Protein backbone atom coordinates (compact mmCIF):
# COMPACT_ATOMS: atom_id res chain seq x y z
CA UNK A 1 0.00 0.00 0.00
CA UNK A 2 1.12 3.58 -0.61
CA UNK A 3 2.76 5.53 2.23
CA UNK A 4 0.21 7.44 4.32
CA UNK A 5 1.10 11.06 5.14
CA UNK A 6 0.38 12.51 8.56
CA UNK A 7 -1.73 15.67 8.88
CA UNK A 8 1.40 17.69 9.69
CA UNK A 9 3.13 16.48 6.51
CA UNK A 10 0.04 17.34 4.46
CA UNK A 11 -0.10 20.88 5.96
CA UNK A 12 3.62 21.45 5.28
CA UNK A 13 3.23 20.29 1.66
CA UNK A 14 0.22 22.55 1.04
CA UNK A 15 2.01 25.47 2.69
CA UNK A 16 5.10 25.08 0.52
CA UNK A 17 2.94 24.89 -2.62
CA UNK A 18 1.06 28.08 -1.72
CA UNK A 19 4.26 29.97 -0.89
CA UNK A 20 5.89 28.95 -4.18
CA UNK A 21 8.94 27.39 -2.50
CA UNK A 22 8.33 23.97 -4.06
CA UNK A 23 10.15 23.10 -7.28
CA UNK A 24 7.43 21.36 -9.35
CA UNK A 25 9.94 20.41 -12.06
CA UNK A 26 12.04 18.52 -9.53
CA UNK A 27 8.93 16.72 -8.23
CA UNK A 28 7.96 15.67 -11.78
CA UNK A 29 11.49 14.36 -12.41
CA UNK A 30 11.44 12.36 -9.17
CA UNK A 31 8.01 10.96 -10.05
CA UNK A 32 9.09 9.92 -13.56
CA UNK A 33 12.37 8.42 -12.34
CA UNK A 34 12.73 4.71 -11.76
CA UNK A 35 11.43 3.69 -8.33
CA UNK A 36 14.04 2.07 -6.10
CA UNK A 37 13.06 0.29 -2.91
CA UNK A 38 15.36 -0.22 0.06
CA UNK A 39 15.97 -3.88 0.92
CA UNK A 40 16.33 -4.79 4.58
CA UNK A 41 18.72 -7.75 4.86
CA UNK A 42 17.78 -8.15 8.54
CA UNK A 43 14.17 -8.79 7.46
CA UNK A 44 14.29 -10.73 4.17
CA UNK A 45 11.31 -11.14 1.89
CA UNK A 46 9.05 -14.10 2.60
CA UNK A 47 7.28 -14.16 -0.79
CA UNK A 48 9.13 -15.08 -3.99
CA UNK A 49 8.32 -13.60 -7.38
CA UNK A 50 6.62 -16.84 -8.41
CA UNK A 51 4.41 -16.71 -5.33
CA UNK A 52 3.47 -13.08 -5.96
CA UNK A 53 2.56 -13.98 -9.56
CA UNK A 54 0.47 -16.86 -8.23
CA UNK A 55 -1.43 -14.50 -5.92
CA UNK A 56 -1.89 -12.09 -8.84
CA UNK A 57 -3.46 -14.88 -10.92
CA UNK A 58 -5.67 -16.11 -8.05
CA UNK A 59 -7.06 -12.67 -7.26
CA UNK A 60 -7.59 -11.69 -10.88
CA UNK A 61 -9.89 -14.71 -11.03
CA UNK A 62 -11.42 -13.65 -7.70
CA UNK A 63 -12.05 -10.10 -8.95
CA UNK A 64 -14.05 -11.45 -11.91
CA UNK A 65 -16.17 -13.63 -9.61
CA UNK A 66 -16.67 -10.74 -7.17
CA UNK A 67 -17.75 -8.39 -9.94
CA UNK A 68 -20.40 -10.83 -11.18
CA UNK A 69 -21.65 -11.52 -7.64
CA UNK A 70 -21.97 -7.84 -6.64
CA UNK A 71 -23.66 -6.96 -9.93
CA UNK A 72 -26.32 -9.64 -9.40
CA UNK A 73 -26.71 -9.10 -5.65
CA UNK A 74 -26.90 -5.29 -5.70
CA UNK A 75 -28.52 -5.04 -9.17
CA UNK A 76 -26.17 -2.28 -10.30
CA UNK A 77 -23.14 -2.10 -12.58
CA UNK A 78 -20.02 -3.29 -10.77
CA UNK A 79 -16.42 -3.40 -11.99
CA UNK A 80 -13.59 -5.00 -9.99
CA UNK A 81 -9.89 -5.16 -10.83
CA UNK A 82 -6.60 -5.95 -9.09
CA UNK A 83 -4.61 -2.76 -8.50
CA UNK A 84 -1.55 -4.24 -6.82
CA UNK A 85 -0.10 -7.26 -5.05
CA UNK A 86 2.92 -6.53 -2.88
CA UNK A 87 4.70 -7.64 0.28
CA UNK A 88 5.10 -5.47 3.34
CA UNK A 89 5.09 -5.67 7.12
CA UNK A 90 1.76 -5.88 8.89
CA UNK A 91 2.43 -2.66 10.83
CA UNK A 92 2.43 -0.73 7.53
CA UNK A 93 -0.97 -2.17 6.65
CA UNK A 94 -2.31 -1.44 10.13
CA UNK A 95 -1.00 2.14 10.17
CA UNK A 96 -2.80 2.85 6.88
CA UNK A 97 -6.15 1.99 8.46
CA UNK A 98 -8.29 4.68 10.05
CA UNK A 99 -9.72 4.44 13.57
CA UNK A 100 -13.13 3.34 12.29
CA UNK A 101 -12.86 0.62 9.66
CA UNK A 102 -14.64 -2.52 8.50
CA UNK A 103 -12.32 -5.53 8.75
CA UNK A 104 -13.49 -9.10 8.21
CA UNK A 105 -11.41 -11.79 9.91
CA UNK A 106 -11.58 -14.98 7.82
CA UNK A 107 -10.30 -18.42 8.66
CA UNK A 108 -8.22 -20.50 6.22
CA UNK A 109 -8.71 -24.28 6.37
CA UNK A 110 -7.29 -27.27 4.49
CA UNK A 111 -7.22 -30.92 5.51
CA UNK A 112 -4.99 -31.72 2.53
CA UNK A 113 -2.20 -29.36 3.63
CA UNK A 114 -2.93 -29.64 7.38
CA UNK A 115 -3.76 -25.95 7.66
CA UNK A 116 -6.00 -24.87 10.55
CA UNK A 117 -6.38 -21.83 12.80
CA UNK A 118 -4.87 -19.54 10.14
CA UNK A 119 -6.46 -16.19 9.36
CA UNK A 120 -6.54 -13.54 6.67
CA UNK A 121 -8.02 -10.04 6.81
CA UNK A 122 -10.34 -8.29 4.36
CA UNK A 123 -10.93 -4.55 4.72
CA UNK A 124 -13.64 -2.73 2.75
CA UNK A 125 -13.76 1.04 2.35
CA UNK A 126 -16.63 2.78 4.17
CA UNK A 127 -18.31 4.36 1.09
CA UNK A 128 -18.49 0.98 -0.69
CA UNK A 129 -19.87 -0.77 2.41
CA UNK A 130 -22.56 1.88 3.07
CA UNK A 131 -23.52 1.99 -0.61
CA UNK A 132 -23.90 -1.82 -0.62
CA UNK A 133 -26.00 -1.62 2.55
CA UNK A 134 -28.18 1.05 0.96
CA UNK A 135 -28.84 -1.21 -2.04
CA UNK A 136 -29.48 -4.29 0.12
CA UNK A 137 -32.10 -2.32 2.09
CA UNK A 138 -33.92 -1.14 -1.04
CA UNK A 139 -32.20 2.19 -1.68
CA UNK A 140 -30.50 3.43 -4.82
CA UNK A 141 -26.96 3.11 -3.44
CA UNK A 142 -26.40 6.84 -2.96
CA UNK A 143 -26.50 6.80 0.85
CA UNK A 144 -22.79 6.31 1.41
CA UNK A 145 -21.70 9.71 2.80
CA UNK A 146 -22.11 8.58 6.41
CA UNK A 147 -19.70 9.37 9.23
CA UNK A 148 -20.73 7.15 12.13
CA UNK A 149 -20.21 3.65 13.50
CA UNK A 150 -21.98 0.64 12.03
CA UNK A 151 -25.17 -0.51 13.74
CA UNK A 152 -25.79 -4.14 14.77
CA UNK A 153 -28.22 -4.64 11.87
CA UNK A 154 -25.66 -3.28 9.40
CA UNK A 155 -22.97 -5.53 10.88
CA UNK A 156 -25.32 -8.51 10.46
CA UNK A 157 -25.95 -7.68 6.79
CA UNK A 158 -22.26 -7.14 6.11
CA UNK A 159 -21.45 -10.45 7.82
CA UNK A 160 -23.72 -12.19 5.31
CA UNK A 161 -21.98 -10.32 2.47
CA UNK A 162 -18.50 -11.30 3.69
CA UNK A 163 -19.60 -14.94 4.03
CA UNK A 164 -20.31 -14.92 0.28
CA UNK A 165 -16.93 -13.26 -0.30
CA UNK A 166 -15.31 -16.13 1.64
CA UNK A 167 -17.06 -18.74 -0.53
CA UNK A 168 -15.85 -16.96 -3.67
CA UNK A 169 -12.32 -16.96 -2.26
CA UNK A 170 -12.42 -20.75 -1.98
CA UNK A 171 -13.60 -21.02 -5.59
CA UNK A 172 -10.82 -18.75 -6.88
CA UNK A 173 -8.14 -20.81 -5.06
CA UNK A 174 -9.59 -24.17 -6.14
CA UNK A 175 -7.53 -24.28 -9.36
CA UNK A 176 -4.35 -24.44 -7.28
CA UNK A 177 -5.11 -25.69 -3.76
CA UNK A 178 -7.77 -27.62 -1.91
CA UNK A 179 -8.59 -24.96 0.69
CA UNK A 180 -11.69 -23.24 2.07
CA UNK A 181 -12.41 -19.99 3.88
CA UNK A 182 -14.81 -19.21 6.70
CA UNK A 183 -16.17 -15.91 7.99
CA UNK A 184 -15.02 -15.69 11.63
CA UNK A 185 -15.78 -12.15 12.78
CA UNK A 186 -16.07 -8.50 11.82
CA UNK A 187 -14.05 -5.82 13.59
CA UNK A 188 -14.58 -2.06 13.32
CA UNK A 189 -11.45 -1.25 15.31
CA UNK A 190 -8.11 -2.38 13.82
CA UNK A 191 -6.57 -2.53 17.32
CA UNK A 192 -8.84 -5.49 18.11
CA UNK A 193 -7.06 -7.69 15.55
CA UNK A 194 -4.30 -9.30 17.61
CA UNK A 195 -3.70 -12.51 15.60
CA UNK A 196 -0.91 -11.00 13.45
CA UNK A 197 2.38 -9.69 14.80
CA UNK A 198 3.34 -6.11 13.77
CA UNK A 199 6.65 -7.22 12.20
CA UNK A 200 5.19 -10.20 10.31
CA UNK A 201 5.47 -10.21 6.50
CA UNK A 202 2.13 -10.07 4.73
CA UNK A 203 0.99 -9.93 1.11
CA UNK A 204 -1.39 -7.04 0.48
CA UNK A 205 -3.84 -7.41 -2.41
CA UNK A 206 -5.69 -4.22 -3.36
CA UNK A 207 -8.89 -4.64 -5.37
CA UNK A 208 -10.62 -1.60 -6.87
CA UNK A 209 -14.43 -1.79 -6.73
CA UNK A 210 -16.58 0.57 -8.81
CA UNK A 211 -20.34 0.67 -8.11
CA UNK A 212 -21.88 2.89 -10.78
CA UNK A 213 -19.90 6.12 -10.25
CA UNK A 214 -18.64 5.26 -6.74
CA UNK A 215 -15.12 3.85 -6.41
CA UNK A 216 -13.43 2.26 -3.39
CA UNK A 217 -10.99 -0.46 -2.41
CA UNK A 218 -11.15 -3.93 -0.95
CA UNK A 219 -7.81 -4.63 0.77
CA UNK A 220 -6.89 -8.25 1.53
CA UNK A 221 -4.09 -9.02 3.99
CA UNK A 222 -2.48 -12.47 3.66
CA UNK A 223 0.08 -13.29 6.40
CA UNK A 224 3.09 -15.29 5.24
CA UNK A 225 2.60 -17.76 8.11
CA UNK A 226 -0.93 -18.56 6.88
CA UNK A 227 0.30 -19.46 3.37
CA UNK A 228 3.56 -21.18 4.33
CA UNK A 229 2.32 -24.78 4.01
CA UNK A 230 0.46 -24.02 0.76
CA UNK A 231 3.50 -22.48 -0.90
CA UNK A 232 5.70 -25.40 0.14
CA UNK A 233 3.39 -27.70 -1.81
CA UNK A 234 3.22 -25.27 -4.74
CA UNK A 235 7.01 -24.96 -4.97
CA UNK A 236 7.41 -28.74 -4.92
CA UNK A 237 4.84 -29.32 -7.68
CA UNK A 238 5.09 -26.36 -10.04
CA UNK A 239 8.48 -24.69 -9.71
CA UNK A 240 10.95 -26.49 -11.98
CA UNK A 241 14.56 -26.78 -10.88
CA UNK A 242 17.15 -25.17 -13.12
CA UNK A 243 19.25 -28.19 -14.01
CA UNK A 244 20.52 -30.01 -17.12
CA UNK A 245 19.32 -33.57 -17.63
CA UNK A 246 21.74 -36.30 -18.67
CA UNK A 247 21.52 -36.67 -22.52
CA UNK A 248 21.59 -40.46 -22.21
CA UNK A 249 18.62 -40.38 -19.78
CA UNK A 250 16.72 -38.03 -22.12
CA UNK A 251 17.27 -40.43 -25.03
CA UNK A 252 16.06 -43.40 -22.95
CA UNK A 253 12.94 -41.46 -21.94
CA UNK A 254 12.28 -40.54 -25.57
CA UNK A 255 12.63 -44.15 -26.72
CA UNK A 256 10.38 -45.35 -23.91
CA UNK A 257 7.65 -42.84 -24.82
CA UNK A 258 7.86 -43.71 -28.53
CA UNK A 259 7.66 -47.43 -27.76
CA UNK A 260 4.48 -46.89 -25.75
CA UNK A 261 2.99 -44.87 -28.62
CA UNK A 262 3.88 -47.35 -31.38
CA UNK A 263 0.59 -49.24 -31.07
CA UNK A 264 -1.56 -46.10 -31.36
CA UNK A 265 -3.92 -46.41 -34.40
CA UNK A 266 -3.81 -43.49 -36.86
CA UNK A 267 -5.95 -42.68 -39.88
CA UNK A 268 -3.88 -42.11 -43.05
CA UNK A 269 -5.67 -40.69 -46.10
CA UNK A 270 -4.50 -39.72 -49.60
CA UNK A 271 -6.19 -36.63 -51.05
CA UNK A 272 -6.42 -36.90 -54.84
CA UNK A 273 -7.56 -33.32 -55.18
CA UNK A 274 -10.28 -30.79 -54.37
CA UNK A 275 -12.31 -28.09 -56.04
CA UNK A 276 -15.12 -25.66 -55.37
CA UNK A 277 -18.44 -25.49 -57.23
CA UNK A 278 -21.46 -23.25 -56.85
CA UNK A 279 -24.81 -24.55 -55.69
CA UNK A 280 -26.20 -24.07 -59.21
CA UNK A 281 -23.39 -26.13 -60.74
CA UNK A 282 -23.96 -28.85 -58.16
CA UNK A 283 -27.68 -29.05 -58.97
CA UNK A 284 -26.94 -29.36 -62.70
CA UNK A 285 -24.54 -32.28 -62.37
CA UNK A 286 -25.50 -35.52 -64.18
CA UNK A 287 -23.92 -38.96 -64.56
CA UNK A 288 -21.01 -38.74 -66.98
CA UNK A 289 -20.09 -35.13 -66.14
CA UNK A 290 -16.42 -34.48 -65.42
CA UNK A 291 -15.31 -32.38 -62.44
CA UNK A 292 -11.79 -30.91 -62.86
CA UNK A 293 -9.67 -30.92 -59.68
CA UNK A 294 -7.32 -28.17 -58.59
CA UNK A 295 -4.27 -30.44 -58.62
CA UNK A 296 -1.66 -31.41 -61.18
CA UNK A 297 -1.02 -34.94 -62.48
CA UNK A 298 2.50 -36.09 -61.79
CA UNK A 299 4.99 -37.22 -59.15
CA UNK A 300 4.40 -35.74 -55.70
CA UNK A 301 0.93 -34.38 -56.57
CA UNK A 302 -0.95 -36.37 -53.93
CA UNK A 303 -1.25 -35.00 -50.38
CA UNK A 304 -1.05 -37.63 -47.65
CA UNK A 305 -2.78 -36.71 -44.37
CA UNK A 306 -2.13 -38.33 -40.99
CA UNK A 307 -5.36 -37.79 -39.04
CA UNK A 308 -6.18 -34.22 -40.23
CA UNK A 309 -2.62 -32.97 -40.67
CA UNK A 310 -0.65 -32.85 -43.95
CA UNK A 311 2.49 -34.94 -43.48
CA UNK A 312 3.69 -36.17 -46.90
CA UNK A 313 3.52 -35.66 -50.65
CA UNK A 314 3.16 -38.78 -52.79
CA UNK A 315 2.48 -40.25 -56.24
CA UNK A 316 -0.61 -42.27 -57.12
CA UNK A 317 -0.11 -45.82 -58.46
CA UNK A 318 -1.15 -49.47 -58.05
CA UNK A 319 0.16 -52.36 -55.98
CA UNK A 320 -1.19 -55.93 -56.39
CA UNK A 321 -4.24 -54.63 -58.30
CA UNK A 322 -5.03 -52.07 -55.56
CA UNK A 323 -4.60 -48.31 -55.64
CA UNK A 324 -1.53 -47.17 -53.70
CA UNK A 325 0.39 -44.00 -52.96
CA UNK A 326 4.19 -43.81 -52.94
CA UNK A 327 5.61 -41.38 -50.40
CA UNK A 328 7.90 -38.90 -52.18
CA UNK A 329 8.76 -36.37 -49.46
CA UNK A 330 7.85 -35.25 -45.98
CA UNK A 331 6.29 -31.86 -45.37
Amino acid sequence: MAEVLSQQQIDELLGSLQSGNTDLTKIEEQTAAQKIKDYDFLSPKKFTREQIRLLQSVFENYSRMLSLYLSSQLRISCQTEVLQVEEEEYREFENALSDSVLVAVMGLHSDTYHVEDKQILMEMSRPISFSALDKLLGGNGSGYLINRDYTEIEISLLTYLFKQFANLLGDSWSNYFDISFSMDSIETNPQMVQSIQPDESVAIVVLSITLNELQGNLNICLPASSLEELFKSYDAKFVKANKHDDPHEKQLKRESILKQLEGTPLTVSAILGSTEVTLGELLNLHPGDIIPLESKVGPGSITINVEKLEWFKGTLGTLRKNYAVKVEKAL
Side-chain angles (χ1 to χ4, degrees):
M1 298 176 65
E3 181 182 358
V4 179
L5 300 179
S6 65
Q7 187 60 46
Q8 181 180 358
Q9 291 173 320
I10 295 174
D11 294 339
E12 291 177 355
L13 180 60
L14 292 176
S16 61
L17 288 173
Q18 292 175 354
S19 62
N21 295 329
T22 303
D23 189 353
L24 296 179
T25 304
K26 184 177 180 180
I27 294 178
E28 290 179 356
E29 291 176 354
Q30 293 177 349
T31 304
Q34 183 179 4
K35 301 296 186 298
I36 300 176
K37 292 185 178 181
D38 295 332
Y39 187 86
D40 186 2
F41 287 93
L42 298 178
S43 180
K45 298 293 185 181
K46 295 294 184 66
F47 295 90
T48 64
R49 291 182 179 179
E50 290 77 13
Q51 292 167 354
I52 293 294
R53 283 197 289 266
L54 171 64
L55 292 177
Q56 180 83 28
S57 176
V58 168
F59 282 96
E60 283 178 354
N61 187 28
Y62 179 67
S63 68
R64 290 190 290 270
M65 294 182 180
L66 189 62
S67 178
L68 292 173
Y69 171 76
L70 289 176
S71 297
S72 62
Q73 187 73 16
L74 305 180
R75 300 181 299 280
I76 57 176
S77 173
C78 174
Q79 297 293 328
T80 308
E81 63 175 340
V82 179
L83 291 184
Q84 66 181 38
V85 180
E86 63 179 18
E87 178 182 353
E88 60 186 35
E89 290 187 349
Y90 176 68
R91 64 164 61 92
E92 299 179 23
F93 173 76
E94 188 179 28
N95 292 338
L97 300 177
S98 60
D99 294 335
S100 179
V101 295
L102 181 69
V103 178
V105 181
M106 296 184 178
L108 190 156
H109 317 279
S110 175
D111 294 334
T112 304
Y113 305 103
H114 308 289
V115 176
E116 197 64 39
D117 298 330
K118 301 296 184 180
Q119 292 181 332
I120 68 169
L121 305 180
M122 185 177 291
E123 185 259 334
M124 180 185 290
S125 61
R126 290 175 62 87
I128 292 294
S129 62
F130 277 114
S131 178
L133 285 170
D134 192 37
K135 286 295 297 180
L136 290 173
L137 295 173
N140 59 7
S142 60
Y144 54 84
L145 297 176
I146 300 176
N147 187 17
R148 59 168 174 79
D149 293 335
Y150 295 93
T151 65
E152 292 185 3
I153 295 178
E154 291 169 344
I155 292 291
S156 178
L157 289 173
L158 289 170
T159 299
Y160 166 79
L161 201 62
F162 277 117
K163 283 182 179 178
Q164 310 310 311
F165 289 1
N167 294 334
L168 294 176
L169 265 180
D171 294 338
S172 65
W173 282 82
S174 62
N175 292 333
Y176 302 93
F177 304 103
D178 180 21
I179 60 176
S180 61
F181 295 86
S182 63
M183 174 61 200
D184 292 350
S185 64
I186 284 186
E187 302 293 344
T188 56
N189 185 353
Q191 303 298 327
M192 299 301 294
V193 181
Q194 303 292 334
S195 59
I196 306 176
Q197 298 299 321
D199 59 348
E200 183 172 352
S201 294
V202 296
I204 304 299
V205 182
V206 181
L207 302 182
S208 172
I209 300 178
T210 304
L211 303 178
N212 284 341
E213 302 299 327
L214 176 64
Q215 186 172 3
N217 289 343
L218 182 69
N219 301 315
I220 303 170
C221 175
L222 304 162
S225 59
S226 298
L227 304 178
E228 184 177 2
E229 293 300 325
L230 301 180
F231 283 152
K232 284 182 180 177
S233 172
Y234 175 79
D235 292 341
K237 287 185 178 180
F238 299 103
V239 178
K240 297 181 180 179
N242 185 18
K243 61 181 181 179
H244 299 286
D245 294 333
D246 183 14
H248 180 64
E249 291 183 0
K250 291 178 65 176
Q251 181 63 24
L252 291 178
K253 289 180 181 179
R254 183 176 184 275
E255 292 176 356
S256 175
I257 293 173
L258 289 176
K259 188 172 183 62
Q260 295 178 30
L261 294 176
E262 284 179 352
T264 304
L266 297 173
T267 301
V268 179
S269 56
I271 309 300
L272 180 62
S274 63
T275 189
E276 292 183 0
V277 297
T278 64
L279 179 59
E281 292 173 338
L282 178 63
L283 295 175
N284 291 326
L285 286 177
H286 300 286
D289 290 346
I290 297 176
I291 302 176
L293 302 178
E294 297 175 355
S295 59
K296 298 180 179 180
V297 178
S301 62
I302 303 299
T303 300
I304 303 174
N305 290 352
V306 178
E307 295 297 329
K308 295 183 179 180
L309 301 177
E310 297 183 0
W311 276 60
F312 305 102
K313 283 292 187 180
T315 302
L316 185 63
T318 59
L319 178 64
R320 299 189 186 95
K321 299 182 179 180
N322 292 322
Y323 284 111
V325 176
K326 179 182 179 182
V327 176
E328 298 289 349
K329 63 178 181 178
L331 298 178

